Amino acid sequence: MTNPPAQSPPPAASPLAKLASHGAIYTAGMLVSRLLSFVMVPVYTHVLGESDYGALEILDTTDLLVIAAFSSPIADPVLRHYTDARTDRDRRAVISTSILALTGVGLVVAMIGFALSPWLAEGLLRDRARAPLFMLTFGSVIFQAVLEVPLSVLRGTDRPVAYAAATLARTALGFALNITFVVGLRMGVAGMSLSSLTSSATAALIASTVALKYAGLRFDRAVFRAMLRFGWPLIPGALAVISLQHTRSYVLNAYWTLADVGVWALGYRFGAL
């Protein structure tokens, strides 16, 4: 008997097909997160009033502005420097340096935010007693910034399924905590802020622990300086995008009320979806 002819390996997927497949995974993950937000709207509006939504929008806008201002020059260059690294040692240095830098800078930003929280609460929420809401927000931004590093590495290593799973797991945890704190315990805006802090901290601690287990603890000054050189020019653009989308809540709040901000914010969320 003659041996059957050897089968040739299946042709590799074309770059365009691979791009379309991975793009579909990223898009599906984003849409599922947005749809979860949409489904939860009736639940939130049942227990939160217009002023509560307004306060949440002010807190979210502050969160986004602070993250863009301090994390853009460190977190945004991660993907570029990771993919440009020539050796595994260099790639580990990018991961470890960025996580350590974001943690250190984030702690300083959070402490400044804690000190300013009473004045921010008085100026933006018209109630100095709501300062703990800003403290929770400033605590959350540390973990949100750190989480960007392992997520960027997942994109850089071409792992869209793991990226989508990680982001959806964090979203699901956030919604579960929202239901517990807001619906079950009736904690209102404080419950939403505590939920954001808890879910961000949990996701960041797990993801950064896994990343640092691979990369080790090493702060490379040369890598840090290179990341800053690339990242500093990104700050104005990041702030401009957030300003175009969200800072109108500050304008509405200055001339009208938190309730008006809340009505606008709810409509904007529908439009964004």
Side-chain angles (χ1 to χ4, degrees):
M1 295 180 63
T2 60
N3 293 327
Q7 294 183 350
S8 59
S14 69
L16 186 60
K18 185 177 181 180
L19 177 64
S21 173
H22 289 188
I25 295 172
Y26 287 124
T27 303
M30 179 189 67
L31 288 177
V32 171
S33 296
R34 293 291 182 92
L35 287 173
L36 283 174
S37 299
F38 179 77
V39 169
M40 291 301 296
V41 166
V43 177
Y44 296 151
T45 53
H46 182 70
V47 294
L48 298 175
E50 292 90 343
S51 295
D52 293 325
Y53 260 96
L56 285 172
E57 181 62 26
I58 294 295
L59 294 169
D60 287 344
T61 301
T62 304
D63 180 298
L64 292 171
L65 289 172
V66 172
I67 289 178
F70 93 85
S71 73
S72 292
I74 304 173
D76 290 355
V78 167
L79 182 58
R80 185 249 183 176
H81 284 80
Y82 183 87
T83 54
D84 282 355
R86 295 183 178 181
T87 66
D88 187 59
R89 184 175 185 273
D90 292 337
R91 286 188 285 272
R92 292 198 300 267
V94 171
I95 296 173
S96 181
T97 299
S98 55
I99 289 178
L100 293 175
L102 284 170
T103 301
V105 176
L107 286 171
V108 173
V109 171
M111 288 189 291
I112 296 173
F114 293 164
L116 295 177
S117 289
W119 287 272
L120 290 172
E122 183 177 7
L124 295 176
L125 302 182
R126 301 179 179 89
D127 186 357
R128 199 179 182 90
R130 305 185 87 176
L133 297 178
F134 281 96
M135 293 179 180
L136 290 171
T137 299
F138 280 105
S140 180
V141 299
I142 306 172
F143 300 104
Q144 293 175 37
V146 170
L147 182 59
E148 285 302 311
V149 177
L151 292 180
S152 294
V153 172
L154 289 177
R155 293 198 301 269
T157 53
D158 209 17
R159 299 168 63 188
V161 174
Y163 176 89
T167 54
L168 286 176
R170 177 194 171 193
T171 300
L173 175 60
F175 284 125
L177 292 173
N178 284 343
I179 293 175
T180 301
F181 295 149
V182 180
V183 180
L185 300 178
R186 300 285 176 169
M187 294 177 63
V189 179
M192 296 285 282
S193 298
L194 181 59
S195 170
S196 176
L197 171 60
T198 305
S199 59
S200 297
T202 302
L205 289 173
I206 293 174
S208 60
T209 298
V210 173
L212 289 175
K213 185 177 180 180
Y214 157 72
L217 287 174
R218 173 192 170 198
F219 186 84
D220 190 311
R221 294 182 180 180
V223 169
F224 183 60
R225 288 194 296 268
M227 295 176 72
L228 288 181
R229 284 196 299 269
F230 182 85
W232 280 121
L234 301 177
I235 294 179
L239 292 175
V241 170
I242 296 170
S243 298
L244 286 171
Q245 295 179 349
H246 293 278
T247 53
R248 67 196 73 180
S249 62
Y250 286 166
V251 177
L252 287 172
N253 188 42
Y255 289 97
W256 299 95
T257 66
L258 280 176
D260 295 309
V261 177
V263 172
W264 170 81
L266 183 60
Y268 179 82
R269 291 176 190 272
F270 278 96
L273 177 64

